[in-house]
Amino acid sequence: MRTVASRLRSIGLICGLAGIVPLSPAVTAADIPEYGMKAMLFYRLSQFVYWPGGEKPGPTPTLCIAGSNPFGNALTQIAGNAGAEVRSAGSDPVGCHLIFIARSEQPALERWLQRAEQRRVVTVSDIPGFARQGGMIELPLEGERVAILVNRRNAQKQGFEFNTQLLRLARGVE
């Protein structure tokens, strides 16, 4: 079993990337639901992306969700406090800067990746093997922590690059 200190380090890495600080030293990874952690990461990822041609999407990105929303209200609350837009991708990610492809869309994953490539959208998911299947950023749950897997090759093919801070926290997938 992991110690409280170990869990706090995991939360510290996630919160560092997310730009927040736990409210209490007694907070453990078990206190933050999986999709609460993933919502924080998904929202903050745009700050660690170098966009094609240096065209950063304004002060706040448009975050889209393809399929069933696994975040509940967490993503809307986090992004809404910063003025970012969160919406459903519908059937096409037009106008999206980042898209989270939910597990409910696994049967249609190839179509979503093709649509996102046409629109130059950063693709994120927690579908097992997502980064190896053509996605850019995978957020798997490993024990009590959310890991970050990055497929730079897929991102670079579309003109995206990632900040070294993100790459230090992430594991590369080729």
Side-chain angles (χ1 to χ4, degrees):
M1 179 172 235
R2 297 176 66 188
T3 66
V4 172
S6 175
R7 284 195 255 173
L8 287 175
R9 277 193 298 277
S10 294
I11 290 175
L13 284 175
I14 291 167
C15 292
L17 180 59
I20 64 167
V21 177
L23 298 177
S24 162
V27 173
T28 66
D31 295 330
I32 300 175
E34 172 186 356
Y35 281 98
M37 289 188 281
K38 289 179 180 182
M40 285 187 284
L41 287 170
F42 180 52
Y43 166 70
R44 294 292 290 214
L45 283 172
S46 69
Q47 296 175 348
F48 297 92
V49 175
Y50 296 119
W51 302 87
E55 298 174 16
K56 187 165 172 95
T60 56
T62 299
L63 307 173
C64 296
I65 301 168
S68 301
N69 179 355
F71 304 111
N73 291 328
L75 182 61
T76 304
Q77 289 174 345
I78 293 165
N81 289 338
E85 180 182 359
V86 177
R87 63 180 175 82
S88 168
S91 62
D92 190 352
V94 66
C96 301
H97 297 110
L98 289 96
I99 185 169
F100 186 90
I101 303 170
R103 290 181 182 196
S104 64
E105 296 302 301
Q106 188 166 1
L109 180 59
E110 189 174 324
R111 275 197 321 265
W112 277 110
L113 292 174
Q114 289 171 350
R115 290 176 194 146
E117 184 175 348
Q118 292 168 352
R119 302 282 187 209
R120 288 191 131 168
V121 177
V122 175
T123 56
V124 183
S125 184
D126 63 352
I127 294 172
F130 177 74
R132 292 192 189 284
Q133 296 175 53
M136 293 182 199
I137 302 171
E138 183 177 339
L139 302 176
L141 187 64
E142 294 181 349
E144 294 180 0
R145 98 177 182 70
V146 177
I148 303 169
L149 305 177
V150 173
N151 190 323
R152 286 180 71 190
R153 184 175 296 155
N154 289 343
Q156 288 170 337
K157 281 194 297 189
Q158 296 177 49
F160 292 98
E161 188 52 80
F162 302 110
N163 181 291
T164 57
Q165 289 177 301
L166 176 64
L167 296 174
R168 272 186 251 158
L169 291 173
R171 286 195 322 255
V173 174
E174 296 299 332

